[in-house]
Amino acid sequence: MKWIRIWTEETVTGSTFQELDAEARAVWFSLLPLAGMNTPEGCVSAFNGTVAMSDDQLAAILRLDIAMIKR
C-alpha cells in the first residue's frame, strides 16, 4: 500500500488554497495520489515514467471533465 505525505497547514494556508479555486484544487488533489502510485514516484505517466498520459487518459482515470484537466 502506497501513501503520500501532505503538509496540512501549508496546504490550507499556502498558495494551493489561495491561488486555486475549488475546481482547480479538486484536479490538483486528484493528481497527487495518481502521482504517488506511479513509478518513478511523483510522475504521472502511462508506462513507468517513459510516456506521459494524455489529457483524455487523465480525465478518464480521474473521472473528471477534460476541460477541467486542461484548465
Side-chain angles (χ1 to χ4, degrees), residues 16-58:
T16 301
F17 270 52
Q18 292 175 10
E19 296 175 13
L20 302 178
D21 63 19
E23 186 176 273
R25 284 195 310 266
V27 173
W28 174 249
F29 281 104
S30 296
L31 288 169
L32 289 175
L34 187 59
M37 289 171 47
N38 282 291
T39 303
E41 240 177 68
C43 293
V44 177
S45 59
F47 300 103
N48 294 327
T50 60
V51 178
M53 287 187 188
S54 69
D55 293 339
D56 292 326
Q57 289 172 311
L58 288 172

